[in-house]
Amino acid sequence: MALKYVSEYRDSQLAKVLIESIKEKIEALHSSGSIKAKKRLRLMEVCGTHTMSIFRHGIRSVLPHTIELLSGPGCPVCVTAQKDIDAFIELSKQDNVILTTFGDLMKVPGTFSSLQKEKADGRDIRVVYSVFDAVEIAAANQGVTCNCNQANSANKTNQAKEVVFCGVGFETTTPTVAASILMASERGIDNFSIHSAHKLTPPALAALMETPATQIDGFILPGHVSVITGVDGYKDVFDKYKVPSVIAGFEPLDILKAILMLVTQQISGLPALENGYERAVSQFGNVKAVQIMNQVFEPADSVWRGIGHIPESGMRLRDSYKSFDALKKFNLELKDTPEPVGCACGQILMGLKTPEQCMMYGKKCTPAHPVGPCMVSSEGSCAAYYRYKGL
Amino acid sequence: MDKNRILLDHGSGGKIAHSLLKEMILPLFNNDMLSRLDDGAIINIGTGTRIAFSTDSYVVDPIFFPGGNIGELAINGTVNDIAMCGGDPKYISAALILEEGFSTDDLKIILNSMAEAAKKAGVFVVTGDTKVVPKGKADKIFINTSGLGVIPKGVNLSGSNAKAGDKVIISGTIADHGITILSSRENLKFDSDIKSDTAPLNQMVKRILNQSLIDKRVIEQSPTDKCPTDSSNSASNFNYRVHVLRDPTRGGVGTTLNEIASQSNVRINIWEDALPIKDSVRGMCELLGFDPLYLANEGKLLAVVSPESTNRVLEAIRQDEYGKDAAIIGEVVGIENSDKPLERSGVFLKTSIGGFRIVDMLTGEQLPRIC
């Protein structure tokens, strides 16, 4: 596979044009008195990948100071509830289990430990880049029984192992996890299971709008999620709250363009749901992926770290796929656990505080010694702020 | 984070690795030669002769990868560490730790590669050791190499020598080794032209030192030049215009530049558009979410050079077989001259869209066992 770099979306001349247009429009907004008492335009990038890209390309440093970019609740690791982290840790301690996970989860502190520490203590915890790798590990560890045909089991080890996958992520990830379950089901791989802490994006946007203190003037909507949900995925939320919303890609020009579109909406006074990422996102999204996701999972109430309980914002396995539910398989229960005292991750994820306003930021909580999940994930706003010193 | 056990992060070359060094190792062993924290120690053995002495262990996984294997990596890595101290590497030791059951065919391939790499670099393996541990107590093969090389008179290279006005040169494309190891790992298969850049850099360093010495003679004839000589150097007949040489291995260019900025207490500005990165490597980094600034190189060096010698040193590097893609990627700025909010030492990147950001030292592992 040849990979061509997307330099055209980082073109300095085009960037200049966009930055100048944003500056002109912001000045126009000021002179018309449209930016009210608070004097700042608060735009939230919902997705952690946007947060990273904004820092990585120094986008804040080229914008007018009156545009405030807030990092939203779109970093999957950051919003995973502590009780789910504890459940992953508990699963890794079960006999004969290989726990498979995306790398970002390794360092997230649970109540007493983290997957990284459990691994140092000898648990079999493996980082995978795709859930399908976890299925293959399961296939290779199905074990051989006395009655088994040896010839068909050449690549199987003698000792059967249970392979558990940590299901974390939004609409971008959940369909692939659903597909992995269908695949395991078809191939009769019954030593594979997941614990689902999957989340849905639109209910989180609604929760943000139901909290008036957030004062969000516009959403930069996540490009990856929108590839699956399409523009239509946000229609209900937009119709209800009428907040300017633009779907954006992840290259610097994509983000600058989305900001320009949001500023333009402010000037016109006509909030709209717009697609600024036409090269990837369609009106209806990936219908097949959504169908697979809904075949295996169903919406359920879910706890978001720091934010709390949001109705119908999670995805749980449907009854017909309950045999893939790791907690059921090992007879474990989710236990409610208190979150670390003093951690402001919740308020940060809702745009109510910046990382610097958390009393632990940079002191007790650093990337080397994280307290809250926003400091752990490379996409977490605290980690991004820390790494780039808020620039 | 739990401080009672060693995590993979402690071997990353990043911040956590540095804290292990500073909290547990330096207090026990500290001396003038160790505390410089350069790629190797510089030892004065009397009669004005100085030698560079360096050691490194190689645990790369997988042991065979596109562009090389653990054997040549082990020779080249130590050759390069000595060369970065200004030493002319000559004598190498090699110790093998083998896992019971390891294939002798694979061992033959690795030993042949070591022999070829030693020949190419012009070094002799003069002592060694072999240990075998029970199956499961090591992973196939680990190699330790140490090496010695005499430092020519007048050469004074250290991460603490960077001065305001100096330019920063990289000798070629970055991140090749790190992304190669990542993509050759089990479960991550890509067809791509990328391969490790493992190579001996001692000939390139000779070219650089020769060029900067010629510079001194040329510049001496010009009465207008008032550049101060290296204060720590008594041999006033020599004045090399190269202040720092480092090979950005583990932790990549970002981490190595941070070490230099911290050791020299300066700010280093680099330009994103100037960084030489292969398209395939850049694409893979985008895909997997890695920052090429933090990925390892095994055949590249960073040179911090006086501005008046920069172009000639760049030309000298480009004439070397491993330096064709060399480029000037940044400059050293004194801290007192900086504008807010940048009044601190560190590394800053001017992005291609005209913004800027901090390039911090890596906190933990971005990629385990890359060398």
Side-chain angles (χ1 to χ4, degrees), chain A residues 68 70 344 347-348 351-358 385:
Chain A
E68 189 175 0
L70 308 164
Q347 288 150 298
I348 291 163
L352 297 171
K353 275 189 177 175
T354 62
E356 285 111 326
Q357 288 167 333
C358 173
Y385 259 78

Side-chain angles (χ1 to χ4, degrees), chain B residues 296-317:
Chain B
N297 310 276
E298 290 292 341
K300 299 291 154 44
L301 61 78
L302 283 163
V304 180
V305 186
S306 281
E308 63 275 12
S309 300
T310 306
N311 287 334
R312 281 185 293 258
V313 169
L314 180 67
E315 270 320 301
I317 295 174

Side-chain angles (χ1 to χ4, degrees), chain A residues 48-68:
Chain A
T49 312
H50 276 143
T51 302
M52 278 303 291
S53 187
I54 285 165
F55 278 111
R56 208 182 132 193
H57 299 288
I59 289 178
R60 273 193 175 81
S61 68
V62 300
L63 289 178
H65 294 300
T66 45
I67 293 182
E68 189 175 0

Side-chain angles (χ1 to χ4, degrees), chain B residues 267-304:
Chain B
R267 185 157 62 98
I268 298 175
N269 290 339
I270 54 174
W271 312 304
E272 188 170 37
D273 288 341
L275 294 171
I277 309 177
K278 283 182 187 143
D279 273 351
S280 53
V281 171
R282 199 193 292 268
M284 192 82 89
C285 284
E286 289 294 323
L287 197 64
L288 299 171
F290 287 105
D291 187 339
L293 280 172
Y294 295 111
L295 290 180
N297 310 276
E298 290 292 341
K300 299 291 154 44
L301 61 78
L302 283 163
V304 180

Side-chain angles (χ1 to χ4, degrees), chain A residues 5 10 56-57 121 389, chain B residues 5 282 286 351 357-358:
Chain A
Y5 175 54
R10 294 180 185 180
R56 208 182 132 193
H57 299 288
D121 272 354
K389 305 288 187 281
Chain B
R5 25 192 163 179
R282 199 193 292 268
E286 289 294 323
T351 68
R357 68 162 158 103
I358 284 186

